[in-house]
Amino acid sequence: MQEIADEQIQRHLDIIYRTDSGRILATLIRLLGDFDRAEDAMHDAFAVALERWPRDGVPENPRAWLVSTGRFKAVDGLRRRARFDAAQEKIAEQLESRADATADGTDESVGDDRLRLIFTCCHPALAQDARVALTLREICGLTTEEIARAFLTPAPTLAQRIVRAKGKIRDERIPYQIPSEEELPGRLGPVLQVIYLVFNEGYHASSGDSLLRTDLSDEAIRLGRLLLELLPEPEVTGLLALMLLQGSRRAARTTADGELVLLEHQDRTLWDHGQIAEGVALVERALSSRRFGSHTLQAAIAAVHAEAPDAASTDWAQIVALYTELARITPSPVVELNRAVAVAMRDGPEPGIRLIDKLLVEGGLDTYPLAHAARADLYRRLGNKEEARTSYERALALTDMPPQRRFLEKRLRELEEK
């Protein structure tokens, strides 16, 4: 150990907190068996470090020191409370014996701890909104206020959601473990779903004045990288590829004043071509495994767009084929809508309109604003102002998002000007 100044210690601890608090918390949850107890223990450990390290020096393995100190503080606190509640002593003994039997400071065990935590936060027994909130809080390290602000939810409501999720994990004894090989395919889906939902909320904000929330999409990509590092499955690879490829267009998706720019009109020089190269390499790896799913197919579609030097060069035949396969493995009216638009780009507006009209009647998309916006755009391309206007107005009536409303209103004005 070496003696260093208080100010340097504070900076050093700040760095450790930013880079390693997720790992430390995951291990403490394993050792202490409780989210809240582990969070308190971690914060106690950092407080002790701030007091002792200026005097004693920084330990050789700061993360292991913080885990050990946090565990000791938690057990010691239970023992002190045992004077008033004998049950606390029993819990302390159980935690001490469990910690002695399982404590392991290796990188491999820490990786397993983080993977355990991801699967626990995304357990199918929890409601979807609880999975998202708990994942952002416990794995990504966002504060309750940050998550509430991102999803435009009152902070007390969000806090209660997290409390209920932790209570359910405790009361129903949801195991803090990585699923078995047999269980993994069924359990991986909800994890990928949560990560992509977080990404989409950042990339296509469902509410508020801004189209983009870069903090959320960046957190999802970071989480995707972590999951791929810990669990290199093909569909995890495909999900990360999808997020990177979609995220690469972020700088071109809005104007300087925040207005929506459609893919065909984006300035492709603003795309992040390093991110595209990484995404394309990942999707090729996932496809070569022959064990891919819907996220990989969506990434392959994004890769076709990303590799086209301009909108006119897009290989729409390949995109139609990929959407056809995607609709086969994950049937969805929205996937069929995207396929209809691709068909229109390949074969002309009329075939696309016929497919969209069928989806509006049979696919349950009559209240989906993007379906009407797509139909309007195809009629606009045909020069049929009346049908285009009717569909734009229907789309406008169905959306509350300010950026989408401004875009649709602009389209309606353009129809009048022609």
Side-chain angles (χ1 to χ4, degrees), residues 223-293:
L223 193 52
R225 290 190 187 281
L226 170 63
L227 187 61
L228 182 61
E229 179 185 332
L230 301 176
L231 190 68
E233 287 286 312
E235 193 62 353
V236 179
T237 306
L239 174 62
L240 179 57
L242 173 60
M243 295 189 296
L244 288 170
L245 288 164
Q246 289 184 333
S248 70
R249 303 195 294 261
R250 184 167 66 191
R253 289 189 66 230
T254 58
T255 62
D257 53 359
E259 298 304 312
L260 174 66
V261 180
L262 295 183
L263 177 62
E264 61 185 298
H265 301 305
Q266 288 176 13
D267 179 355
R268 299 186 180 214
T269 64
L270 297 177
W271 290 2
D272 187 330
H273 294 279
Q275 206 164 297
I276 289 171
E278 183 183 2
V280 168
L282 287 169
V283 77
E284 287 175 350
R285 187 202 310 173
L287 288 169
S288 68
S289 73
R290 304 289 180 183
R291 293 192 294 114
F292 55 83

Side-chain angles (χ1 to χ4, degrees), residues 263-265 268 305 308-316 345:
L263 177 62
E264 61 185 298
H265 301 305
R268 299 186 180 214
H305 285 297
D310 51 58
S313 305
T314 305
D315 187 346
W316 287 106
M345 298 302 294

Side-chain angles (χ1 to χ4, degrees), residues 308-378:
D310 51 58
S313 305
T314 305
D315 187 346
W316 287 106
Q318 188 177 359
I319 289 177
V320 170
L322 288 166
Y323 271 124
T324 301
E325 178 63 13
L326 182 60
R328 185 187 68 80
I329 66 170
T330 54
S332 157
V334 174
V335 171
E336 292 288 357
L337 173 63
N338 289 328
R339 182 181 178 278
V341 172
V343 167
M345 298 302 294
R346 183 190 66 182
D347 301 335
E350 294 93 336
I353 290 170
R354 287 196 294 271
L355 289 170
I356 291 174
D357 284 346
K358 184 178 179 182
L359 286 168
L360 290 173
V361 175
E362 301 175 8
L365 293 184
D366 189 51
T367 58
Y368 186 56
L370 295 184
H372 292 281
R375 184 178 187 272
D377 193 59
L378 296 183

